[in-house]
Structures are given as structure tokens and as C-alpha cells.
Amino acid sequence: MKVNRICCIGAGYVGGPTMAVIALKCPHIEVTVVDTNSNRINSWNGPLEDLPVYEPGLKEVVGESRGKNLFFSNDINLAIERADMIFMAVNTPTKKEGEGAGMAADLKYIEACAKTIAKVAKSDKIVVEKSTLPVRTAEKIKDILGKYGHDEVQFEILSNPEFLAEGTAIQDLFKSDRVLIGGDETDSGQKAVQALVDIYAKWIPIEKILTTNVWSSELAKLASNAMLAQRISSINSLSALCEKTGANIDELSKAIGMDHRIGPKFLKASVGFGGSCFQKDILNMVYLCKYYGLEEVAEYWHQVIKINDYQKNRFAQKIIDDLGGDLRGKKIAILGWAFKANTNDSRESPAIYVTKKLVDSGANVKIFDPLVSLSIIMRDIEDFGININACSICNNIEECINAVDLVAILTETLAYKDLGKDLSIYDGRGINKEAKYTIGK
Ligand code: NAD
Ligand code: UGA
């Protein structure tokens, strides 16, 4: 089965970069990325300096293929109709209402995609789950495609979860540790798997392309994120013990990580993990465990989230306690709004939680992040019910740290490394040597 045209539904942090890399590596394939958000599509078509996603190396990759074999379009139906293979890279946030609210993944965007594909497709399609989904979602998608699709059209559903991390997305896509493709064990299922293997094999060594059944692929994605987050919660829980005992968390991490069976990555103590995925994916897995009656397993994974909440809270409480419990009249600089360095993404950023707690305790805050736009910071302040009158957003570090009582470092952006000795610095990211308080030390 030869793929000539790809459509990707969802032009976000995953859809944009992954499709740009496929287009670059497969110049013979026409790749069209579509989205219901026309502003986003316009930005993808606009100046390379202002793409909607900030990722080192992304603008070069997009610049190479855009207008040749990479297109961003608002015409969703046309792109679906023309494609042989359709990726679904839409958001799958935690459900806000209804059954499973606060835990289960909200599949309304995925279901809407499946419905559109079913209604529009007049020729056979391979439909690829790129979004992170609960195990057995392919079954639901199959039902929708069957119910709304044209009788003569055949669909094959593949699971191909994405493992890129923000801030290093392009490198992760160029040199993936593995590419996972789950498909049906039928003849046509295996042909569809092979069609996707052939695409990735253009730049990924074949031994790193792992093919499995659909359910293993769906669940492996949730489990991978859960294992990564679990390491962070494990080290963060130990950071509290370090503070009580005089042990040093960095020395502990180093000693633990030198065991080759454990390894050094993801053992950096912090103010907690953020990002749009770890929390939602673990909650989703907890929900699935409960659904299948596995209460102990659910509780085990839920603890990873509880420790993360504990850590965010612990950091903010330390500041509040050190300032005598009442922050009225105090000015605090918040350095870093993104959930990690090298991204403009602030979804689930610990900075938001810490800011809310400090403002709720009476503080005024000054916020600076070199990558996150004023409009996004304002949106977060509003969405999280933070008192806007207590917040000001700065254009540079100097302005932010000027005339404050205390500086809180909440993203590991290297520019916050050397701020000067005369400041009272609380470092949630362990990057500033002069910090008065650093988690775990
Ligand atoms: P995102 O919010 O940045 O992008 C999703 C896009 O889908 C949005 O632009 C939205 O407008 C669009 N969309 C939603 N419904 C649509 C529809 N019916 N038709 C057309 N467009 C629609 O999300 P993201 O960060 O790219 O994440 C997408 C998926 O990938 C999620 O399941 C996430 O868990 C997973 N994932 C994300 C990352 C990451 O680093 N962000 C990494 C791996 C996996
Ligand atoms: C994570 C995974 O690393 C990706 O493999 C996955 O594809 C993605 O989630 C997803 O499914 O969305 P991402 O959230 O972009 O990627 O970034 P990470 O590098 O994993 O960092 C997540 C959070 O953990 C950040 O807030 C970071 O500061 C924090 N972190 C990370 C620590 O506190 N300590 C560490 O040692 C590592």
C-alpha cells in the first residue's frame, strides 16, 4: 500500500512538528495539516518567526517544506478526501464534566474527527491515532467509522503514539528512541502497519520501529508517561526527606542514577512536573484501572499525582512561612511561566499553581518568561482565578527582579542562573547557585 497523501487533523504541538518532519523526510508525500482553529492555521502559514509552536529547529524544518509538500489548511474535508492516510493529533484533555470528570480523557475531539472522516471519506483510508488515548479507543473509533461511514469505504485503524518532549521535539523526531505502531493482526491491518513503517523507515533505523497490537500500543504510551512522571515524583518525595536530614538531593540523584539499571535521566528534583500530558495521562490510567476494578493499581499511580501536588504546594508554603505567613505588602518576582525551558507552552505549569497560592496569601507578583506571550499569561491568570490586580507582566528579567522582596525561579531557563547575590532567591528548579532556598538542599 503506497501512501501519496497524508492529512493530519490537529495543528498543535504534536501535529505541526511531526508532520513538518514527515514532509521533510518524505518529499514524495504531500502532507496537509488542518485544524478547526483558523488562527492557528494562519500562524502556521505566516512568518517563520511567529509559528504558533516554539521549538528549537522547527522554523528551519517548516521553512524547508512549506509550500512544496507541506501545507496548512482550513479545508478539513478536502484534505481528508484527498488523503490515503489520516493522522488524528487532536487534544485529549481531562474530562471536565460527566462520567469520569476530573480523571478520564475527554474524547469528544477524537470522536468529532472520526465522525468527520466517516462522513467525508469516499475512498479507503488508514486512520492513525497520534493523540494519546485510553487503551481500547480504537474500538470506539471503529464503531463511529462503521456507523457514519459510506458502505463501500474500508478503514484501517492504527495506533502510533507520539513520544516527543516539548523543547526538544525536532531532535526527538529526528532521532526517536522508538516509533511504536499498533495495528490489527488481520491481513489488511498488517498492510496498513507496513505502509506506516515504510514512512518512518525513511529516517528511523528499522530496529527502532516497534510493531505491536493496537491495545499494547495505546497502553504503552500512557504507561511510558506514567513511568517518567513516577521517577520525578519519587525524587521529589525524597527531596523533602533530604531537607529534614541534611542529605543533598543532587548528590542523591547522582548516586542513584549511576546504577546502570536505574540511569541518570528524569531524576532532577523540582517544584513538580507540569505540561499538558503527565497529569492527564496518569489520571486517565488511574480511571482505567478503577474502571477495570483494579483499585490497588489505581491508588499506586494516583500517588504520583498526589506527590506532585504536595511538591508544588510545599514550595509555595515555604515562601509563605519564611515571610511570616502574611504576604500582604510583599512583592515577589516569578521567573518562568512555561512548564519547562525552551517552550512557549504553559499548560499545567507549576508556575501557575505557585503564583495562585502566593497571590491568595496577599502577595503582589511580577512575572517574566522570555517565550510565553503576554496574552497566554493573561489567559492563565484568568482561567485559574488569580487576582489580576496583584499581577504585573514584565518585558525582561531586570524589570522583573527590580524592587522585589523575593525571587521565585519556576522554569529551568538558563538566563535565571546568575541573578546576583543580594537577592532572596527561592529556586524550584535547582539552577541558581546563590539561591537561599533550593528544593532538597
Ligand atoms: P494541542 O492542543 O496543541 O493541539 C490540538 C489541536 O487540535 C488544536 O489546535 C485544536 O484546535 C485541534 N482540534 C481539536 N479538535 C479538532 C477537530 N475536530 N478538527 C480539527 N482540529 C481539531 O494539543 P497537542 O499538545 O498537540 O496534543 C495533541 C495530542 O498529542 C494529545 O492527545 C496529547 O496528549 C498528545 N501528545 C502531546 C505531546 C506534547 O508534547 N504536547 C507529546 C506527545 C503526545
Ligand atoms: C513528556 C514526555 O517526556 C514525552 O516523552 C511525552 O511524549 C510527552 O510528555 C507527552 O506525552 O506529552 P514533556 O511534558 O513535553 O514530555 O516534557 P518533559 O521533559 O517530560 O518534562 C515534563 C515536566 O517534568 C517538566 O515540567 C519538567 O520540568 C519536569 N521534570 C522533568 C522534572 O521536574 N524533573 C526531571 O528530571 C525531568
Side-chain angles (χ1 to χ4, degrees):
M1 203 181 292
K2 193 163 179 295
V3 174
N4 295 314
R5 289 198 188 98
I6 285 177
C7 162
C8 174
I9 309 180
Y13 283 84
V14 166
T18 43
M19 291 304 125
V21 169
I22 290 182
L24 181 78
K25 300 291 185 183
C26 305
H28 59 289
I29 299 181
E30 182 186 299
V31 180
T32 306
V33 189
V34 296
D35 204 294
T36 41
N37 181 339
S38 53
N39 288 337
R40 232 175 187 181
I41 293 296
N42 294 343
S43 306
W44 281 111
N45 283 323
L48 289 170
E49 300 307 322
D50 299 325
L51 297 178
V53 168
Y54 175 79
E55 277 296 337
L58 176 64
K59 67 173 190 288
E60 289 79 5
V61 174
V62 171
E64 194 67 36
S65 312
R66 196 176 62 179
K68 293 181 196 152
N69 67 326
L70 174 66
F71 302 93
F72 296 92
S73 164
N74 289 308
D75 197 338
I76 299 178
N77 289 3
L78 181 67
I80 291 175
E81 212 178 312
R82 283 164 52 87
D84 310 303
M85 184 177 267
I86 302 163
F87 286 80
M88 298 189 290
V90 297
N91 35 331
T92 49
T94 304
K95 254 180 136 175
K96 288 211 173 94
E97 52 194 19
E99 203 188 323
M103 284 228 153
D106 192 341
L107 297 181
K108 69 177 175 217
Y109 303 106
I110 264 297
E111 287 168 4
C113 281
K115 245 186 215 174
T116 310
I117 296 170
K119 287 181 177 164
V120 170
K122 297 204 181 64
S123 58
D124 297 353
K125 310 282 179 203
I126 299 172
V127 176
V128 185
E129 297 175 344
K130 189 46 120 178
S131 300
T132 303
L133 297 167
V135 53
R136 297 200 80 87
T137 302
E139 216 163 34
K140 273 195 186 151
I141 295 173
K142 203 175 206 161
D143 287 348
I144 294 173
L145 293 172
K147 187 167 166 200
Y148 296 96
H150 299 267
D151 287 344
E152 68 286 2
V153 176
Q154 298 293 317
F155 294 104
E156 279 303 329
I157 303 167
L158 301 180
S159 160
N160 171 225
E162 184 48 60
F163 294 101
L164 68 79
E166 288 180 30
T168 52
I170 298 300
Q171 275 320 303
D172 294 342
L173 289 164
F174 279 172
K175 293 194 171 156
S176 310
D177 286 345
R178 79 308 210 175
V179 165
L180 185 55
I181 303 174
D184 271 353
E185 275 141 14
T186 56
D187 235 25
S188 55
Q190 288 306 300
K191 279 190 184 135
V193 168
Q194 192 55 45
L196 189 51
V197 168
D198 291 344
I199 291 173
Y200 283 111
K202 291 278 182 256
W203 77 98
I204 302 288
I206 201 76
E207 64 277 9
K208 291 193 170 180
I209 304 178
L210 184 64
T211 58
T212 65
N213 78 29
V214 181
W215 318 132
S216 307
S217 173
E218 288 176 336
L219 187 54
K221 171 64 196 177
L222 291 182
S224 295
N225 273 0
M227 296 282 280
L228 288 169
Q230 180 212 42
R231 283 173 71 100
I232 303 170
S233 277
S234 295
I235 208 73
N236 280 344
S237 72
L238 291 168
S239 73
L241 188 56
C242 281
E243 285 172 31
K244 295 281 184 206
T245 57
N248 175 308
I249 194 64
D250 287 341
E251 292 174 356
L252 211 69
S253 290
K254 191 165 181 192
I256 296 167
M258 280 173 77
D259 185 326
H260 75 278
R261 294 168 302 177
I262 298 173
K265 304 262 173 73
F266 272 72
L267 287 180
K268 176 109 178 58
S270 66
V271 64
F273 57 76
S276 62
C277 295
F278 278 173
Q279 173 163 307
K280 91 165 159 64
D281 292 345
I282 294 174
L283 287 173
N284 183 2
M285 211 166 81
V286 170
Y287 179 76
L288 283 168
C289 293
K290 283 178 185 278
Y291 174 85
Y292 288 106
L294 305 171
E295 283 302 326
E296 288 81 359
V297 185
E299 190 40 45
Y300 174 76
W301 288 108
H302 204 178
Q303 204 57 35
V304 173
I305 302 289
K306 290 181 186 169
I307 287 290
N308 202 47
D309 291 340
Y310 164 79
Q311 190 76 346
K312 290 184 278 194
N313 197 51
R314 202 165 76 79
F315 180 79
Q317 194 59 48
K318 170 84 183 151
I319 294 177
I320 296 167
D321 292 346
D322 285 0
L323 291 178
D326 183 0
L327 302 193
R328 276 175 300 179
K330 301 288 183 202
K331 228 177 222 160
I332 298 179
I334 302 288
L335 287 186
W337 194 255
F339 78 97
K340 63 184 282 197
N342 288 323
T343 178
N344 60 349
D345 192 349
S346 62
R347 289 178 290 182
E348 296 296 335
S349 177
I352 304 174
Y353 292 86
V354 170
T355 301
K356 175 153 175 61
K357 196 165 162 85
L358 297 177
V359 169
D360 283 351
S361 302
N364 278 289
V365 295
K366 294 168 81 181
I367 301 162
F368 172 67
D369 190 298
L371 293 175
V372 185
S373 68
L374 176 90
S375 60
I376 288 185
I377 298 177
M378 293 297 281
R379 178 205 65 191
D380 293 337
I381 287 172
E382 199 184 318
D383 287 355
F384 282 80
I386 301 170
N387 177 10
I388 182 77
N389 299 321
C391 304
S392 60
I393 298 160
C394 302
N395 293 314
N396 54 56
I397 301 183
E398 292 71 32
E399 183 193 343
C400 190
I401 63 177
N402 182 35
V404 292
D405 296 285
L406 188 148
V407 176
I409 297 180
L410 295 168
T411 306
E412 55 273 50
T413 300
L414 290 180
Y416 312 145
K417 231 174 157 173
D418 306 302
L419 299 175
K421 289 191 175 115
D422 50 342
L423 289 161
S424 178
I425 299 169
Y426 282 61
D427 187 355
R429 294 296 176 173
I431 56 167
N432 193 295
K433 282 198 295 293
E434 312 296 344
K436 177 177 166 185
Y437 170 71
T438 305
I439 279 174
K441 288 182 195 155

